[in-house]
Amino acid sequence: MRGPGTWWRGKSTPAKVETYTRLSFHFFALVEVLTIALPVTGEAGPELGTWLMLAVCAHAVVCALIVSRAVDWVCGRREQPVRLLVTLGALTAAVAATALAVVQYGPKGDGVDTAAGTVFSVVMFFGVGIMALGVHGRRRLCAVVAGFAAGAGLFVLLISGSALAALVIALISLLGSGSFAFVAVFSVWLLKAVYELDEARETRARLAVAEERLRFGRDLHDVMGRNLAVIALKSELAVQLARRGRPEAVEQMIEVQRIAQESQREVRDVVRGYREADLGVELAGAQGVLTAAGIACEVTGEAAGLPVEVQSALAWVVREATTNVLRHGNAERCAVGVRVSEGRVVLTVENDGAAGASDGGGGSGLTGLSERLAAVDGTLEAGRVDEGVFRLVAEVPLTGAGVREVTV
């Protein structure tokens, strides 16, 4: 059974930021109700307090709905909630105007004025701040903030006739709602930045895989290009000699056979990573790629002095494990270690990005690694060892590991 901790750890970093943003602004709606509940019902009287309380609760519900729709719009999952924004704007203006009217025309008393002033401030600040989540562009946002502040000042001027009171209310509305709007805009910017960084990280991972494929393609072209050209020329020459009845045609075909066998051996070496598979190079490359992707990578141990076939086999393990860390899970830390124990070289790759993921035992990548290690009498173990921790252990004997031919 999954607990709250597992639910949170199973989320990616952008998903965590999105969840935090949603909960923060939904909490604003809850605070709006809790902040006004006791003052309104206690100071404004039962009847007036109940009406104000109902208005504030309706405003809070619309704000919570706007938060859900606006965050989805920011993440590109739905269209901009224009109608809901207009509804929230109209409701904010209506409740705020009602609170100001209560101060001017309602029952007299400091308690009533305090309660009505609290309703005005909270509704105005939170309403404009929540609306900022769904507004695109600085000019439109400034227009919304300035418009509500000017409207509040103009309404006070109309009902009270006091220019000073209107100016004070306008400034309070401008500063308060502007501050909440800034918090909303900053939260939206941060959420977008996190998603863009995560997308860039995935792009770097795909580029790393693509670069490895290009390297393999270049190696294969280098091996096969010249040999195939020679085979084609010698085959053509053998055909011409055979048509003329020349015995040299047999020698040319023997040479073609030799080149073909040599090409087959070289292709096997490329596929198995024997041409340039160096464990030290792969360890340094893995650390560089993971660090560039924002994953703290620690490499321990030395590859120098190990037999060539052992280094080649383990280099493939490092390469495949690095690709898995980049493409799967949400790792923040990766540790790679090489050590020699009782005549065996042990390579360990451990990362903390396996929360909610399967052990991956059925993956073709791990199956291919097992086959490569079996060619040098090695073994491979992979799976989760702790909550969210995935460990891959490859062991290869230093002696008695004969490299067996693998048919391409």
Side-chain angles (χ1 to χ4, degrees):
M1 184 176 180
R2 299 180 62 185
T6 304
W7 168 79
W8 179 255
R9 286 192 295 270
K11 290 181 174 291
S12 63
T13 299
K16 290 179 180 178
V17 176
E18 180 182 343
T19 302
Y20 173 78
T21 303
R22 289 180 183 274
L23 293 179
S24 297
F25 284 98
H26 278 119
F27 183 72
F28 283 175
L30 181 62
V31 169
E32 182 176 357
V33 175
L34 296 179
T35 302
I36 298 176
L38 294 178
V40 167
T41 56
E43 300 292 343
E47 184 177 355
L48 180 58
T50 299
W51 283 108
L52 289 177
M53 183 63 189
L54 291 176
V56 171
C57 288
H59 185 267
V61 170
V62 176
C63 285
L65 184 58
I66 287 286
V67 169
S68 298
R69 300 294 178 85
V71 173
D72 287 341
W73 170 66
V74 169
C75 297
R77 302 191 188 103
R78 66 168 68 238
E79 296 181 354
Q80 185 180 17
V82 178
R83 293 184 178 180
L84 282 176
L85 290 174
V86 173
T87 301
L88 178 59
L91 186 59
T92 299
V95 176
T98 301
L100 293 175
V102 168
V103 175
Q104 184 67 26
Y105 303 112
K108 303 303 179 182
D110 293 338
V112 175
D113 293 344
T114 300
T118 302
V119 170
F120 168 80
S121 301
V122 174
V123 168
M124 178 68 74
F125 299 166
F126 284 1
V128 176
I130 297 299
M131 288 181 62
L133 290 173
V135 176
H136 179 71
R138 289 179 295 179
R139 292 184 178 180
R140 293 180 181 178
L141 180 61
C142 292
V144 170
V145 175
F148 273 90
L154 181 60
F155 184 78
V156 171
L157 180 62
L158 292 176
I159 63 176
S160 67
S162 174
L164 179 60
L167 180 61
V168 170
I169 291 297
L171 289 177
I172 292 175
S173 301
L174 182 64
L175 294 177
S177 59
S179 300
F180 275 88
F182 173 79
V183 172
V185 170
F186 179 78
S187 299
V188 168
W189 173 84
L190 180 62
L191 182 59
K192 288 182 177 179
V194 171
Y195 269 108
E196 289 175 359
L197 289 174
D198 186 70
E199 183 179 355
R201 173 181 169 180
E202 293 181 357
T203 301
R204 284 196 296 267
R206 290 194 296 268
L207 288 176
V209 176
E211 183 179 357
E212 177 60 24
R213 291 175 178 172
L214 289 175
R215 186 197 68 82
F216 178 81
R218 288 194 300 267
D219 289 349
L220 195 60
H221 179 270
D222 293 341
V223 169
M224 296 300 298
R226 181 182 61 84
N227 290 350
L228 288 176
V230 174
I231 289 175
L233 289 175
K234 287 188 172 294
S235 298
E236 184 179 356
L237 178 58
V239 170
Q240 297 297 331
L241 292 174
R243 288 176 177 175
R244 298 175 185 177
R246 302 282 297 274
E248 292 86 347
V250 177
E251 297 179 0
Q252 294 297 326
M253 291 308 299
I254 292 175
E255 182 66 14
V256 168
Q257 183 182 21
R258 185 192 65 80
I259 296 174
Q261 292 174 346
E262 179 68 16
S263 299
Q264 186 181 25
R265 184 189 64 80
E266 291 181 351
V267 169
R268 287 171 178 167
D269 290 345
V270 171
V271 173
R272 295 169 61 185
Y274 285 1
R275 292 187 71 229
E276 295 182 0
D278 182 86
L279 182 56
V281 173
E282 292 298 333
L283 290 173
Q287 186 175 30
V289 171
L290 292 176
T291 302
I295 302 173
C297 181
E298 179 183 3
V299 177
T300 57
E302 293 290 338
L306 297 178
V308 175
E309 62 271 17
V310 173
Q311 288 203 41
S312 180
L314 294 181
W316 270 103
V317 176
V318 173
R319 192 177 299 173
E320 180 69 22
T322 302
T323 302
N324 289 339
V325 172
L326 288 171
R327 298 181 64 180
H328 307 293
N330 185 40
E332 297 180 356
R333 178 190 62 85
C334 181
V336 183
V338 179
R339 59 185 175 86
V340 179
S341 176
E342 299 179 355
R344 299 178 69 85
V345 183
V346 181
L347 171 69
T348 304
V349 182
E350 182 177 295
N351 72 89
D352 61 353
S358 63
D359 290 348
S364 59
L366 296 181
T367 302
L369 290 181
S370 299
E371 295 174 355
R372 293 181 184 279
L373 292 175
V376 290
D377 298 331
T379 60
L380 179 70
E381 295 181 2
R384 283 189 288 181
V385 296
D386 200 355
E387 184 66 35
V389 178
F390 188 88
R391 179 183 297 166
L392 183 147
V393 180
E395 295 187 15
V396 178
L398 281 174
T399 57
V403 180
R404 295 189 288 271
E405 290 293 332
V406 178
T407 301
V408 179

